[in-house]
Amino acid sequence: MIRLSRVSKSYRRGGETLTVLDHLDLDVPDGAFYALMGPSGSGKTTLLNLVGGLDHADAGDVVVAGTELGALDGRDLSQWRADHVGFVFQQFNLLSVLTAIENVELPLLLAPLTRKERREHARHALELVGLADRMHHRPGQLSGGQEQRVAIARAVATDPKLILADEPTGDLDRRAADQVLDLLGQLHEKFGKTILIVTHDPLAAARAEKTIHLDKGRLDRVETMPPSPDAPSLPRP
Amino acid sequence: MNKLIRRSLLRHPVRTLLTIGSLAVAIFLLCFLRSLVTTLSAGVESANQQRLWVQSAVSLFVDLPLTYQGKIDAVDGVKRTCRWQWFGGYYQDRTNFFAQFAVDPEPLFSMWPEVEIIDGSKEAFLEDRRACVVGAGIARQFGWKVGDTVPLIGALFQKADGSAWEFQVAAIYRPARATVDDRTFFFRWDLFEKTMEEAMGQTPQVGVFVIELEPGADVPAVMASVDGLFENGPQRVQTTTEAEFNRQFVSMVGNVPRLVSFIGGGVLLAILLACVNTMLMQAREQLREIGVMKALGFSDRSAALFLLSQSLLLVGSGGALGIGLALLTQPGIAGFLNRYFPGYEIQPTTIAAAIGVTLVLGLLAGAVPARVAERTRTVEAMRPH
């Protein structure tokens, strides 16, 4: 699903060049659930951005779902994101002027669907995350955990194969974080989504099959987690 | 998407409504000022082709000898002439301004077909030396009816005993065209001449002679002939078409179109800057959301269109409100300004110009924010601040 070959990425900060990823190689198979961990500045989010087509690598190849992302221009990359990736962010990033269902409908505007079909898809996604009864609430009327679940519904609304989550539990309390992790687990196990999650939370990383540790832009080590004995359940609203 | 554009714009309703209000006032002013110019131009353009005006070559304020009339009448192509003299009096109070002219009674109605009698009669005007013909506008304002006696105080021309001039309302006219005013007071030349002879002991002079041309007359030739008659004085004259005469008369109050363009341009520039400022604030506040939209798969172009649409909606709302306001207030303004701008009317070209200006303002105000949205990198936009 994801293959990174000798990928490098640097930024210029105050006249200095800061190497964030340094000749990194990584393979994530189809349907995998991997966690990315490492100290701040180790390149986790940059890696996620490259895999999600939000940024370009300076060197090396980034191939996701069979597409070499470096070969796509801005417009094609946008369309590729719309077709293949669902994003979940630490700060939820819902649009405050839209209701929950309208937020979930937003990526569906790029799909060839009628208004009615869009609404159906969005409702279904909200049911999946247990928030069907909050569909007409605006983000400001929801708790942090609920907002993140709406964001997950938005990420899966277009049924992408790949879900990229950047510290999805970073702004949540333990209970809400567990609900969000349960949901991601279910998307992986029941729907076969490939999930790559950046986290500082060892409990979150424990939900993944493997944890990739990055340090100074390089692969430090890979940890394989034992399979969970209990299947995750859908959270209650 | 329309919902998102609308709601994004109403994120700060007070700011948005104030901007729309400012735009509405600016576009209203644009319609109003442009309509003043088109109204003036319509007056000039609707001038009668069969009339020429003879005035002093020095100035409109210099009178011409009465004896000129017979010589002008004899010029080939001239059918008849009518004497006009600005009276400059007032009714009861100096603030009751309206134009008064002493004229030859006989040619008045035949030379000015755009003047239509609605009460009284032409015959009554021709029969009584004290008779006057008044516009419906001033008749309505002062409550004059046919048969009423109207005293005017002469400011420029006073009677020997200093008393008021008294006139009998013989007829009330209304203009057959909107650009002709309905606030003029005509009285007979013979009364004027006799009264002034009594007061000053000499025959009064003439402000302008108006020529009615024979059908098919060679206009430039007639103008040249009349001017040539008095080349050696005692007063040199300038003969012009009625359109040119009107244009010169309008220009006496200054270059109105240029003044109006200057004011209108200033207003539009100010409102453009205000709109750009509003839209830049909108863009700054929505940068993160634009980043989210791009992450979800919206293209750079879509992000630019998102902000451009907000700008067009914002400015379009203000423009539509301004145009609506201008149309709604048109009858009231026309009535209020009738004294100075008879026939005030918002032309379709003015509406088209206002729509065009609104569109350009919307595009200009949205151009920079749209460019910002287009160029903003998703990663930068979503970086926590």
Side-chain angles (χ1 to χ4, degrees):
Chain A
M1 181 69 178
I2 302 169
R3 187 166 54 78
L4 274 66
S5 309
R6 301 193 59 74
V7 168
S8 295
K9 180 72 183 176
S10 305
Y11 292 112
R12 287 193 68 80
R13 289 276 187 277
E16 284 185 23
T17 302
L18 186 69
T19 301
V20 185
L21 292 177
D22 187 8
H23 297 89
L24 183 74
D25 292 312
L26 179 68
D27 272 300
V28 179
D30 207 1
F33 185 170
Y34 281 16
L36 281 171
M37 291 190 81
S40 293
S42 60
K44 307 182 294 294
T45 297
T46 301
L47 174 58
L48 210 67
N49 289 339
L50 294 184
V51 171
L54 296 179
D55 208 351
H56 279 296
D58 294 339
D61 296 330
V62 179
V63 179
V64 183
T67 303
E68 162 60 58
L69 299 189
L72 301 180
D73 63 13
R75 192 177 200 165
D76 290 339
L77 203 55
S78 295
Q79 188 57 51
W80 180 86
R81 281 199 301 272
D83 293 340
H84 294 89
V85 194
F87 287 97
V88 180
F89 306 98
Q90 179 180 355
Q91 293 171 320
F92 326 132
N93 285 336
L94 299 178
L95 271 59
S96 59
V97 294
L98 298 180
T99 62
I101 195 161
E102 287 164 351
N103 264 288
V104 178
E105 274 187 86
L106 198 57
L108 294 168
L109 290 172
L110 300 167
L113 298 172
T114 64
R115 181 181 292 192
K116 195 177 169 193
E117 287 169 337
R118 279 203 305 269
R119 187 56 45 142
E120 272 309 304
H121 276 67
R123 183 178 289 125
H124 182 68
L126 280 173
E127 281 168 1
L128 189 72
V129 299
L131 286 176
D133 59 337
R134 300 294 174 97
M135 65 171 69
H136 298 302
H137 287 63
R138 291 209 181 180
Q141 299 167 314
L142 301 172
S143 69
Q146 288 170 332
E147 279 195 78
Q148 193 59 299
R149 280 150 61 194
V150 173
I152 291 172
R154 181 178 67 185
V156 299
T158 54
D159 195 23
K161 285 291 288 175
L162 177 63
I163 306 285
L164 300 175
D166 191 359
E167 300 201 41
T169 58
D171 279 5
L172 303 179
D173 60 30
R174 189 69 260 160
R175 183 170 173 273
D178 284 342
Q179 287 181 333
V180 166
L181 292 169
D182 286 348
L183 259 178
L184 291 173
Q186 188 181 16
L187 290 173
H188 166 238
E189 290 181 6
K190 280 182 76 172
F191 299 101
K193 304 292 181 195
T194 304
I195 296 177
L196 196 55
I197 171 176
V198 166
T199 184
H200 282 110
D201 179 5
L203 290 175
R207 303 289 188 112
E209 295 162 344
K210 283 189 180 178
T211 300
I212 295 161
H213 292 268
L214 294 180
D215 190 23
K216 294 177 185 167
R218 288 172 173 271
L219 193 63
D220 185 33
R221 66 181 196 282
V222 179
E223 231 179 320
T224 305
M225 301 296 171
S228 169
D230 303 316
S233 58
L234 270 175
R236 289 176 188 281
Chain B
M1 197 60 167
N2 292 342
K3 201 181 285 180
L4 178 60
I5 291 166
R6 209 170 49 242
R7 288 194 195 157
S8 297
L9 208 52
L10 289 172
R11 188 185 305 254
H12 298 287
V14 174
R15 184 174 75 198
T16 301
L17 291 177
L18 285 175
T19 308
I20 288 175
S22 314
L23 274 158
V25 170
I27 297 297
F28 165 79
L29 272 177
L30 175 76
C31 291
F32 169 69
L33 292 173
R34 193 171 188 278
S35 295
L36 291 185
V37 174
T38 55
T39 303
L40 281 175
S41 303
V44 170
E45 285 156 15
S46 65
N48 192 304
Q49 308 287 317
Q50 283 302 106
R51 294 194 292 255
L52 299 178
W53 291 66
V54 183
Q55 66 172 83
S56 162
V58 177
S59 160
L60 189 58
F61 300 107
V62 175
D63 290 340
L64 300 172
L66 193 63
T67 52
Y68 279 20
Q69 187 171 28
K71 294 176 182 171
I72 297 170
D73 279 336
V75 170
D76 198 25
V78 172
K79 186 176 178 183
R80 71 183 111 189
T81 54
C82 181
R83 292 169 289 190
W84 277 51
Q85 179 58 274
W86 172 263
F87 183 62
Y90 59 90
Y91 174 65
Q92 293 179 339
D93 190 281
R94 283 183 186 274
T95 56
N96 290 332
F97 173 81
F98 53 89
Q100 308 118 28
F101 295 100
V103 295
D104 285 320
E106 179 61 41
L108 180 68
F109 298 103
S110 49
M111 284 179 72
W112 278 272
E114 55 267 50
V115 168
E116 187 185 346
I117 301 295
I118 55 168
D119 198 7
S121 67
K122 172 187 169 185
E123 289 69 30
F125 183 55
L126 297 178
E127 281 166 11
D128 182 359
R129 198 159 58 182
R130 289 171 58 240
C132 64
V133 177
V134 300
I138 46 174
R140 198 166 44 246
Q141 182 182 351
F142 301 118
W144 296 340
K145 298 183 296 297
V146 171
D148 283 357
T149 298
V150 175
L152 291 186
I153 310 294
L156 302 175
F157 303 100
Q158 283 157 357
K159 290 173 72 174
D161 59 4
S163 62
W165 294 59
E166 289 195 342
F167 303 97
Q168 198 89 31
V169 178
I172 295 173
Y173 78 87
R174 74 169 171 213
R177 276 202 320 262
T179 48
V180 177
D181 86 307
D182 64 352
R183 297 182 52 82
T184 303
F185 184 105
F186 296 103
F187 65 96
R188 292 171 54 132
W189 180 272
D190 48 359
L191 173 74
F192 175 67
E193 187 176 318
K194 180 176 174 293
T195 308
M196 291 317 298
E197 278 174 351
E198 286 170 6
M200 303 194 306
Q202 60 184 38
T203 307
Q205 294 196 306
V206 181
V208 290
F209 293 99
V210 186
I211 296 172
E212 184 182 6
L213 294 165
E214 292 282 5
D218 182 346
V219 177
V222 173
M223 287 164 61
S225 298
V226 173
D227 289 350
L229 281 176
F230 311 109
E231 216 164 50
N232 299 317
Q235 275 291 342
R236 288 175 58 238
V237 300
Q238 180 189 29
T239 309
T240 58
T241 60
E242 187 165 289
E244 181 55 28
F245 182 82
N246 288 349
R247 203 171 288 121
Q248 287 179 12
F249 191 77
V250 167
S251 70
M252 283 167 65
V253 291
N255 192 335
V256 178
R258 180 172 291 182
L259 182 71
V260 164
S261 302
F262 185 73
I263 296 170
V267 169
L268 289 178
L269 182 65
I271 200 66
L272 171 66
L273 295 178
C275 289
V276 169
N277 186 42
T278 300
M279 284 312 301
L280 281 174
M281 283 194 277
Q282 288 281 117
R284 208 163 34 241
E285 288 161 5
Q286 293 173 37
L287 209 57
R288 190 176 186 83
E289 295 182 354
I290 287 165
V292 173
M293 289 171 68
K294 286 190 177 185
L296 295 178
F298 286 87
S299 62
D300 293 341
R301 189 187 166 85
S302 301
L305 283 174
F306 174 58
L307 274 177
L308 198 60
S309 303
Q310 287 186 45
S311 175
L312 285 170
L313 180 62
L314 176 81
V315 178
S317 303
L321 206 63
I323 292 170
L325 196 66
L327 289 173
L328 208 66
T329 55
Q330 180 184 316
I333 292 176
F336 183 72
L337 291 181
N338 190 41
R339 186 181 300 187
Y340 310 105
F341 295 92
Y344 171 87
E345 189 183 17
I346 299 172
Q347 298 290 329
T349 54
T350 297
I351 302 293
I355 291 171
V357 164
T358 300
L359 200 64
V360 171
L361 272 180
L363 290 173
L364 288 177
V368 175
R371 186 80 178 132
V372 169
E374 187 177 24
R375 291 176 66 97
T376 297
R377 292 176 63 234
T378 314
V379 175
E380 296 292 334
M382 297 181 61
R383 182 166 288 160
H385 297 289

